[in-house]
Amino acid sequence: MTHLQRSDIVTLLKSVRLPDGESLSQAAVLSDIRTEGGHVSVIIDADLDARFQSNPGALATVRADAQAILEKDQRIEKCTVVLTGGPMAAAGSSPLAAPEPEEETVIKHIVAVGSGKGGVGKSTVAANLAVALSRLGKNVGLMDADVYGPSVQLLLGLSESPRADGKKIEPLEAFGIKAMTMGLLVDQSTPMIWRGPMVGSAILQLLNDVNWGDLDVLVVDMPPGTGDAQLTLAQRTPLAGAVIVSTPQDLALIDARKAITMFEKVKVPVLGLVENMSVFICPNCGHESHIFAHGGGEEAAKEIGIPFLGHLPLDMDIRVSSDAGSPVAANSESPQAGDFLNLAGRVLDQLEASDPLPPPRLVMA
């Protein structure tokens, strides 16, 4: 097997030139390189260089040149070059999209799974919800919008670097769904020290520059909080609704209310609230323990006036399956899978009950 080093990629990219002739390998915009065997991913951060601000067209040219150079090297089996930041991305345009679209892909519903804080199991709920929706017969995608702490690759057991055809990135497939996450494009030990506009740009690229194909539902695992990433998606994408995840305790519900208020302010329907880690059932004796209290999420949903989507347990099988990269919702013999199938059914009911909107169309070159 070919074992490429970062230095090998730097050498290859020396021939790629920026607008003033400087080598890409020597420029600050080359922010990250990841190599795994014959798979290579490169991140070019346009916000790190003013030359891209004055020459937006150079974004697509530099990316295309880098992609072409890497694809020619016989040691490289698959390569992906990703752009972040820059005026084109900030304006909502995709630096990878062709100027004349040849085909359109339709995503009927984009559903954000959010929370006001971390540690409430949001990503686990998002991954299992996506798998459960697939088991109910829907074409489903899962997009990990948590750029700083991506976890979808772990939850779905994904390790292969995604490939690109020069225009679009191909999502990976697992458990009947398509998935994409920044966790597959950067080294796991590399911290994403990015400013807000860079995060927004990366999220829009994951949405627009991935070949999702026609989907019934695209589940978006949102980062925790109510910052730039959340606002980018809420304001720049036609979200069909948001699912809020919280534990029953008051501390988590305070932040869940903030997330609900944020979505309401940007006119995104809140499909409902999920009470995660609602009860712990001892696997040895069957005793029920309400470690994080119980019923707080249901009570809060009633008080706020949004649907309550159900209780999910704090369960050993869910934790073990998640760490093993095999969502419990995919296991037809698991009783916990039924909880996620019920959740998926309620989400679909809320989508059907909401006012019908034209399905969002993502340009596919």
Side-chain angles (χ1 to χ4, degrees), residues 142-283:
L142 175 61
M143 181 184 123
D144 189 349
D146 192 348
V147 172
Y148 292 118
S151 55
V152 162
Q153 73 281 1
L154 173 63
L155 292 167
L156 297 183
L158 302 173
S159 58
E160 180 182 356
S161 297
R163 61 184 178 85
D165 63 2
K167 296 178 181 178
K168 292 282 183 176
I169 301 171
E170 293 294 330
L172 300 186
E173 297 190 21
F175 304 101
I177 67 174
K178 297 178 180 180
M180 180 52 61
T181 168
M182 286 298 293
L184 295 171
L185 300 175
V186 299
D187 191 287
Q188 294 296 296
S189 62
T190 301
M192 307 303 283
I193 309 173
W194 287 359
R195 299 181 298 275
M198 296 166 59
V199 173
S201 173
I203 289 174
L204 291 175
Q205 190 170 19
L206 285 176
L207 181 66
N208 293 303
D209 295 333
V210 171
N211 185 17
W212 291 109
D214 291 345
L215 297 176
D216 294 308
V217 183
L218 176 63
V219 176
V220 180
D221 179 21
M222 302 282 280
T226 55
D228 288 334
Q230 292 82 354
L231 288 174
T232 294
L233 272 169
Q235 295 177 336
R236 303 285 289 280
T237 61
L239 292 177
V243 172
I244 307 300
V245 180
S246 177
T247 55
Q249 69 204 94
D250 291 341
L251 184 62
L253 287 166
I254 290 173
D255 293 311
R257 291 172 185 266
K258 294 177 182 177
I260 292 168
T261 301
M262 181 204 72
F263 282 115
E264 289 177 340
K265 284 187 175 181
V266 292
K267 310 300 182 184
V268 173
V270 177
L271 303 177
L273 186 145
V274 180
E275 183 176 292
N276 196 26
M277 306 183 198
S278 181
V279 60
F280 172 72
I281 302 176
C282 177

Side-chain angles (χ1 to χ4, degrees), residues 16-44:
V16 178
R17 299 292 171 177
L18 272 62
D20 64 353
E22 182 183 6
S23 170
L24 176 60
S25 293
Q26 298 173 328
V29 292
L30 189 59
S31 66
D32 188 74
I33 295 174
R34 179 183 179 184
T35 62
E36 289 186 5
H39 298 178
V40 174
S41 65
V42 173
I43 293 180
I44 301 173

Side-chain angles (χ1 to χ4, degrees), residues 310-323:
H311 304 88
L312 295 173
L314 175 63
D315 184 85
M316 183 69 75
D317 287 344
I318 295 176
R319 196 277 299 168
V320 171
S321 297
S322 297
D323 286 349

Side-chain angles (χ1 to χ4, degrees), residues 6-23:
R6 188 182 190 281
S7 57
D8 296 324
I9 307 306
V10 170
T11 299
L12 288 172
L13 295 178
K14 283 183 178 179
S15 60
V16 178
R17 299 292 171 177
L18 272 62
D20 64 353
E22 182 183 6
S23 170

